[in-house]
Amino acid sequence: MENEWYDVTIIGGGPVGLFSAFYAGMREMKVKIIESLPELGGQLASLYPEKDIYDIAGFPSIPAGELVEQLKKQALQFDPEVVLGQEVKEIVRRKDNLFRLCTYTGEEHLSRTVIITAGRGAFQPRKLEGGERFEGRNLHYHIPDLIRFKGKRVLLSGGGDSAVDWANLLDRHASSVLLVHRRDSFRAHEHSVDKLMKSGVEVLTPYAISGLSGDEKIESVTLDHLRGETGRSEKVDEVVVNHGVMASLGPVKQWGLELDRNAILVNTRMETSIPGIYAAGDIATYPGKVKLIATGFGEGPTAVNHAKAFVDSGANIQPKHSTSLFSK
C-alpha cells in the first residue's frame, strides 16, 4: 500500500461516510473507505437494522437496514476501495504532503485528503446495574432481529428517540409492550411521542427499574415509583434498555485536531484545524449544529467539494448538477 495513494480517504463507513464516498465518486476522486466494523453501515447496520428511520428526505420512514443497502449500492457504483475491520490509530502528514493513516493492525494508507465521518466515535450502551448475568439471554441493549419478540411480553426502559421508536415498532410484533421512563416527559420527537400515546403500548412514568428476578433469564422486573408511591412488579419475556450510549472519540483525540467537548470542531467548509482534513456527520460540530442523518448528508458533499479543490486548485467548489454528471 505504500506506493498507492488516494485523493480522499473517508474514515467511517456509516450513512454519512457512504454518501460522502458516492459524492466523491461523482467528483471523479479516487476514494478509499476505512471502517472499523466488519461491515459497512455503521450503527444502523450493526445495532439497528430493523429500526425505522424518519429523517430521510423523500421517505416517510425507511428501515435502517434498507437505507444502508441503498447507500451501499449508491456509493459502490464508483468502485471505492473499501477496507473493513481496521481502526485508524494515527494520522501523520509526510514531507510530500500525503497523509499516512496507520491502523491498529499495522496497515498504512496514503491519502491527499481525509474526511472523518466516524459518527460519535467508539460507543458503549449505558448498562443496567445488576443486569450483567442476563446479557445475551433476554436483556438487550439493541434489537437486531424483531422476530425474537413476536408474541412476547416486552418491557422497554428509556425516554429518548430510540426507546420511543422501538416501542412503536415492537407494538406491531409483541403481545404486549410496557415502556418505562423515569420522567413524565419524553426526549423523543413530538410526532413519535404522539404516535406512542395513540398506540397499544402501556406507558409508565415516572418509574425506574430497581430489580431483576429470574434464574436463567429475567422472569420479572421490579419497578420503583420515583415520587414515593407504591412500586410494582411486572412479569416479562424480554427486557430492552435504551438509556443512551457513552461515546468516546478514542484515538481521534490524539490526532491534533481542535475539539469541542466530544466532537471535532469544523468551519462552514467542514474543514478541521488541520488543512486537508475534514469532518462531517455526528463527529463534527459547529455553532447551531443539529445532529440528524439528513444534516450529515449535506455536510458530506460540502467536505468533498472543498477536498476536491484542495487536491486540484483548478476544480470548482460548486460542481455541476448531478443530472449533468450522470448524463455524460
Side-chain angles (χ1 to χ4, degrees):
M1 290 188 183
E2 187 65 25
N3 297 319
E4 186 173 9
W5 53 265
Y6 290 76
D7 291 319
V8 59
T9 295
I10 298 170
I11 301 176
V16 176
L18 288 169
F19 190 67
S20 299
F22 158 73
Y23 203 84
M26 289 182 63
R27 293 304 312 266
E28 298 184 336
M29 300 179 79
K30 186 178 180 182
V31 182
K32 175 178 283 187
I33 305 171
I34 300 178
E35 168 57 53
S36 61
L37 296 173
E39 61 180 338
L40 293 171
Q43 292 185 42
L44 295 190
S46 62
L47 298 182
Y48 312 120
E50 297 198 56
K51 184 176 183 290
D52 286 336
I53 306 298
Y54 298 99
D55 66 344
I56 307 303
F59 293 91
S61 69
I62 181 171
E66 183 179 333
L67 174 61
V68 167
E69 289 305 311
Q70 293 299 321
L71 285 165
K72 286 164 60 177
K73 182 178 179 180
Q74 185 182 45
L76 297 180
Q77 65 185 304
F78 291 110
D79 297 320
E81 180 73 16
V82 177
V83 178
L84 299 175
Q86 290 193 32
E87 183 179 4
V88 175
K89 180 180 180 181
E90 62 177 348
I91 302 177
V92 179
R93 188 192 291 276
R94 305 194 324 178
K95 292 181 179 180
D96 59 4
N97 286 327
L98 287 175
F99 289 104
R100 177 167 56 90
L101 288 71
C102 306
T103 71
Y104 283 97
T105 58
E107 302 287 345
E108 294 187 354
H109 308 269
L110 300 180
S111 191
R112 299 174 73 183
T113 62
V114 177
I115 301 177
I116 304 170
T117 60
R120 285 180 285 176
F123 59 92
Q124 289 290 334
R126 295 185 185 278
K127 298 293 186 75
L128 184 65
E129 186 176 354
E132 294 82 2
R133 66 191 181 100
F134 297 113
E135 292 177 14
R137 297 180 181 179
N138 66 336
L139 173 60
H140 316 275
Y141 294 101
H142 59 88
I143 301 176
D145 185 3
L146 282 170
I147 299 300
R148 178 189 181 99
F149 299 87
K150 188 174 179 61
K152 300 289 186 65
R153 297 170 299 180
V154 182
L155 185 146
L156 198 153
S157 177
D161 279 308
S162 290
V164 172
D165 288 347
W166 277 125
N168 285 328
L169 192 58
L170 286 167
D171 186 42
R172 306 201 300 260
H173 297 271
S175 63
S176 66
V177 179
L178 173 62
L179 177 60
V180 177
H181 183 38
R182 62 185 305 108
R183 297 181 179 87
D184 289 322
S185 60
F186 290 88
R187 302 185 308 277
H189 285 90
E190 292 86 347
H191 174 75
S192 299
V193 175
D194 183 61
K195 181 179 178 181
L196 172 71
M197 295 306 175
K198 295 176 180 177
S199 72
V201 175
E202 181 182 357
V203 177
L204 200 59
T205 64
Y207 281 83
I209 296 175
S210 60
L212 305 173
S213 300
D215 295 323
E216 295 297 319
K217 63 180 184 178
I218 302 170
E219 296 174 3
S220 66
V221 176
T222 302
L223 303 172
D224 281 352
H225 192 283
L226 298 184
R227 296 200 188 103
E229 296 180 18
T230 304
R232 54 194 282 183
S233 178
E234 295 288 337
K235 292 184 178 181
V236 297
D237 297 312
E238 307 285 345
V239 176
V240 181
V241 174
N242 281 140
H243 293 170
V245 296
M246 296 178 291
S248 171
L249 290 181
V252 177
K253 292 182 178 179
Q254 312 304 319
W255 295 352
L257 301 165
E258 185 176 354
L259 305 176
D260 182 3
R261 297 182 183 179
N262 212 38
I264 300 170
L265 191 64
V266 298
N267 60 20
T268 56
R269 300 179 179 88
M270 297 298 114
E271 295 169 326
T272 70
S273 56
I274 298 179
I277 300 182
Y278 305 80
D282 282 354
I283 202 166
T285 191
Y286 47 82
K289 165 90 174 199
V290 177
K291 290 191 175 183
L292 295 172
I293 295 175
T295 304
F297 285 164
E299 295 169 351
T302 299
V304 168
N305 287 332
H306 287 280
K308 175 71 174 180
F310 186 89
V311 301
D312 181 2
S313 59
N316 292 324
I317 292 177
Q318 181 63 52
K320 296 179 181 180
H321 293 295
S322 59
T323 51
S324 300
L325 292 168
F326 275 102
S327 62
K328 290 182 178 180

